[in-house]
Amino acid sequence: MFIYKGVSLPYPSDNLVLDVVLLLIFLGLETLRIFYGWKGNLCERSLASCASLFILLPCGALAVYFLLLQTFVLRLEFILGAVLLCFYALELLLGLLSLSAFSRSKVY
């Protein structure tokens, strides 16, 4: 969508560079969040699950930025961003529940 916005909309070059850099940071954080969440759930380790939940906070802040604060927000981006934030809220709730279950379980 950034290619479409960069070509068809009068996007200032500084703002386009800022949005692309933030998108790349978002990509890196999402990769880490998914890896730690997968590893923590698979091994039932509370530390990796906790790291995934902590990485969820800057990911949520970046999702809000792309939902509301970027230079041009397309309707499709708004809808996808709202769905993403709903899934983040659900992930936070389920992550806290699994974190409490992992903390209570006895490891033999």
Side-chain angles (χ1 to χ4, degrees), residues 34-103:
I34 290 171
F35 174 75
Y36 283 132
W38 171 67
K39 206 61 154 161
N41 190 30
L42 188 65
C43 298
E44 294 185 3
R45 302 283 177 168
S46 58
L47 182 62
S49 296
C50 191
S52 174
L53 290 178
F54 281 132
I55 296 173
L56 183 65
L57 298 175
C59 286
L62 283 170
V64 168
Y65 172 80
F66 284 115
L67 181 69
L68 301 174
L69 300 175
Q70 67 177 328
T71 306
F72 293 109
V73 181
L74 302 176
R75 186 173 295 148
L76 179 63
E77 286 178 321
F78 186 81
I79 292 169
L80 290 175
V83 169
L84 179 67
L85 286 174
C86 290
F87 279 122
Y88 278 170
L90 182 65
E91 180 182 346
L92 181 66
L93 177 68
L94 293 175
L96 289 174
L97 287 173
S98 67
L99 190 63
S100 69
F102 295 159
S103 297

